[in-house]
Amino acid sequence: MKKIIFLISAVLILNSCVVSTAAKVVKGAVNVSYKVVKGTVNGISWAVSKAKGKIDEDRIDGTWKVVGAYRGSFEDFTKDQNPESSFTSDCVDSFDQIIFKAKRSKFKPVHCSSDKDEDWVKYSMEFGKNPITKEKENYIEYNSNNYLSVIDVNNKTMVLEGNLMPKLAFSGAKLYLLEKVK
């Protein structure tokens, strides 16, 4: 009789351990999936989540083409049920681009609708409290009081929030998806 009671007790204890561990795993998976927004823009598969620490400035180096602009903030974007359909581009034959030279801390916007060559702009990339959003994040300061939040950068895509392109900002665009040009 003691063996049966011991076995039943052991089974109940092990069962509760397995259930609580499984619940923790599911809860962790839910937290991770909540922070990442996935979709497709112009045939490019991407996933956007806010970087959780300092981004190395060398990661933004290179030529990036703007493949979309979202009319709203990153917070609005994460709550949107269908964010990928909100991206639009005004360029028909080419792309708006931004060229970063990280070693010289300069960038240059190149607009598809303009033949005029833009000037290089000095910038400073920081990780800390962004003066505009008041949040600790990666941001670029340029022209001594303009800020772009660097949401995330990987080897294929970069997401910036702020006044990157004045012509789109008038229509409410605040979030920009960029793809690395090879």
Side-chain angles (χ1 to χ4, degrees):
M1 184 70 169
K2 287 183 183 180
K3 288 183 179 179
I4 293 176
I5 293 174
F6 177 73
L7 285 174
I8 291 174
S9 306
V11 167
L12 290 174
I13 290 171
L14 287 174
N15 192 20
S16 68
C17 289
V18 169
V19 169
S20 68
T21 303
K24 287 178 186 174
V25 168
V26 169
K27 184 180 176 186
V30 167
N31 286 340
V32 169
S33 67
Y34 173 75
K35 301 291 182 186
V36 177
V37 181
K38 297 180 181 180
T40 304
V41 177
N42 298 334
I44 303 157
S45 183
W46 53 273
V48 178
S49 65
K50 201 164 215 172
K52 299 197 177 8
K54 184 171 178 24
I55 296 174
D56 185 21
E57 187 175 349
D58 291 340
R59 291 176 70 189
I60 67 171
D61 194 44
T63 302
W64 299 86
K65 65 181 178 179
V66 179
V67 294
Y70 181 77
R71 285 160 176 64
S73 68
F74 180 70
E75 292 303 318
D76 298 335
F77 180 75
T78 59
K79 295 173 187 169
D80 196 334
Q81 295 296 319
N82 193 15
E84 60 271 10
S85 67
S86 300
F87 279 98
T88 59
S89 177
D90 295 338
C91 299
V92 178
D93 296 331
S94 62
F95 291 95
D96 284 323
Q97 296 180 357
I98 187 165
I99 303 167
F100 281 96
K101 295 204 183 238
K103 290 182 182 176
R104 295 186 178 186
S105 295
K106 297 188 328 185
F107 74 87
K108 176 171 132 175
V110 179
H111 303 294
C112 68
S113 60
S114 173
D115 293 332
K116 168 180 118 161
D117 200 21
E118 296 285 333
D119 293 329
W120 287 95
V121 178
K122 290 288 279 177
Y123 73 87
S124 168
M125 186 163 168
E126 305 288 334
F127 177 69
K129 190 173 183 181
N130 185 328
I132 300 294
T133 63
K134 308 292 187 221
E135 291 184 28
K136 189 172 184 178
E137 62 188 6
N138 294 282
Y139 66 93
I140 294 171
E141 179 182 4
Y142 65 98
N143 292 341
S144 72
N145 278 337
N146 291 316
Y147 301 94
L148 291 172
S149 296
V150 182
I151 303 298
D152 195 23
V153 181
N154 62 38
N155 61 349
K156 293 181 183 176
T157 60
M158 175 166 56
V159 180
L160 300 175
E161 181 178 15
N163 187 11
L164 178 65
M165 302 174 68
K167 69 178 184 177
L168 291 176
F170 289 121
S171 64
K174 293 181 185 173
L175 193 67
Y176 299 89
L177 176 69
L178 298 101
E179 179 187 18
K180 186 106 180 203
V181 176
K182 303 221 185 261

